[in-house]
């Protein structure tokens, strides 16, 4: 073990692509964001985060156009690709168009990342949002269509798949942030634990920490305040 970094020798480079979830919205740390990708790559994990290219509001087409070339140029060992939320929040969502963009995105990453690519399905986005029954049904239908694409493309390219559909309900488990869409700090750490478990199953990680315990009340209140301030500065009330 490297005593200066806490990492094992031969630490591999990881590049993250995607939207606000991977950027870390919901897990503020001062004026910065942490998020699940930060927690996943902390020592003694065998990955070093060389770049987090994820940006709030990104859709699959944006990730392909604005992030893919940079990720390919970095030639990482591992790439993570988590996208689709902003696509399905749009009522004009076109599953066929999403499939074209997602196929090109994952295919390009799979060729560039010499160890592997980690993808993630979408959880039930409607569970925390104030929607009518009709709107909730429609959003769930679009989410299911996107998940079908994600599952098929990941399988075709041999990408590792984190099944967020099988994760616990964020709202019921106290892991949803105050914007009712993103995970809070505990939720992000939970996603990191789920991702680590997928990598452990693939023989890429030896040990995982397991799901995180609930934070103390004071820490939860401070995190909520930090997230509200972040929302006020960056999102201006626009859903992402």
């Amino acid at each position: 073990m490297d005593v200066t970094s806490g990492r094992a020798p031969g630490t591999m480079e990881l590049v993250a692509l995607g939207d606000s979830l991977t950027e870390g919205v919901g897990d503020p740390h001062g004026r910065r964001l942490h998020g699940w990708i930060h927690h996943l790559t902390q020592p003694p994990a065998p990955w070093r985060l060389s770049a987090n290219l994820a940006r709030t509001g990104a859709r699959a087409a944006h990730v392909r156009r604005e992030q893919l070339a940079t990720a390919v140029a970095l030639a990482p060992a591992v790439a993570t690709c988590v996208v689709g939320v902003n696509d399905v929040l749009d009522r004009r969502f076109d599953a066929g168009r999403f499939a074209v963009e997602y196929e090109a995105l994952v295919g390009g990453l799979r060729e560039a990342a010499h160890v592997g690519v980690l993808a993630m399905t979408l959880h039930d986005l409607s569970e925390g949002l104030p929607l009518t029954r009709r709107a909730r049904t429609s959003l769930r239908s679009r989410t299911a269509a996107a998940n079908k694409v994600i599952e098929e493309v990941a399988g075709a390219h041999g990408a590792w798949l984190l099944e967020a559909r099988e994760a616990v309900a964020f709202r019921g488990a106290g892991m949803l942030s105050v914007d009712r869409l993103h995970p809070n700090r505990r939720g992000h750490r939970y996603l990191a634990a789920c991702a680590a478990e997928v990598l452990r199953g693939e023989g890429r990680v030896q040990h995982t920490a397991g799901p995180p315990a609930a934070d103390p009340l004071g820490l939860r209140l401070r995190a909520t305040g930090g997230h509200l301030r972040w929302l006020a500065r960056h999102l201006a009330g626009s859903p992402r």
Side-chain angles (χ1 to χ4, degrees), residues 10-234:
T11 297
M12 291 178 277
E13 302 295 313
L14 182 147
V15 172
L17 297 84
D19 53 29
S20 55
L21 179 63
T22 300
E23 189 181 11
V25 173
D27 186 16
H29 185 72
R31 296 185 66 84
R32 302 180 62 186
L33 298 171
H34 271 175
W36 72 276
I37 200 70
H38 167 85
H39 300 296
L40 177 65
T41 54
Q42 292 305 288
W47 325 107
R48 186 184 78 85
L49 181 61
S50 59
N52 186 350
L53 306 174
R55 293 295 178 265
T56 295
R59 302 186 185 193
H62 175 271
V63 176
R64 179 187 177 188
R65 184 176 64 250
E66 303 294 338
Q67 301 176 25
L68 179 59
T70 302
V72 169
L74 290 170
V78 173
T80 67
C81 180
V82 180
V83 69
V85 168
N86 296 296
D87 295 86
V88 302
L89 286 176
D90 188 341
R91 288 177 293 180
R92 299 166 298 177
F93 172 72
D94 183 326
R97 186 178 306 165
F98 177 77
V100 169
E101 299 292 352
Y102 194 77
E103 166 74 31
L105 180 56
V106 174
L109 288 175
R110 192 65 189 91
E111 290 183 6
H114 60 84
V115 173
V117 174
L118 175 66
M120 186 188 300
T121 54
L122 309 179
H123 69 284
D124 183 3
L125 306 170
S126 71
E127 68 175 2
L129 298 176
L131 301 172
T132 64
R133 180 177 298 179
R134 181 176 180 180
R136 190 180 307 277
T137 299
S138 178
L139 177 55
R140 284 176 171 166
S141 176
R142 298 194 300 273
T143 302
N147 277 334
K148 186 173 186 293
V149 170
I150 292 170
E151 184 177 24
E152 290 178 351
V153 170
H157 289 282
W160 309 314
L161 188 62
L162 197 171
E163 274 286 7
R165 291 175 292 188
E166 299 175 2
V168 301
F170 284 101
R171 185 178 185 180
M175 293 192 287
L176 200 61
S177 73
V178 293
D179 68 11
R180 317 312 297 161
L181 183 61
H182 297 92
N184 57 21
R185 180 173 180 268
R186 185 188 180 204
H188 275 283
R189 288 184 292 135
Y190 172 73
L191 282 179
C194 290
E197 186 61 25
V198 171
L199 294 172
R200 187 192 67 79
E202 298 291 339
R204 303 299 174 178
V205 174
Q206 291 186 357
H207 304 289
T208 59
D215 291 326
L217 177 60
L219 184 58
R220 295 202 303 271
L221 292 174
R222 287 195 296 274
T224 296
H227 183 54
L228 286 171
R229 289 190 293 274
W230 193 94
L231 287 172
R233 287 197 304 270
H234 297 278

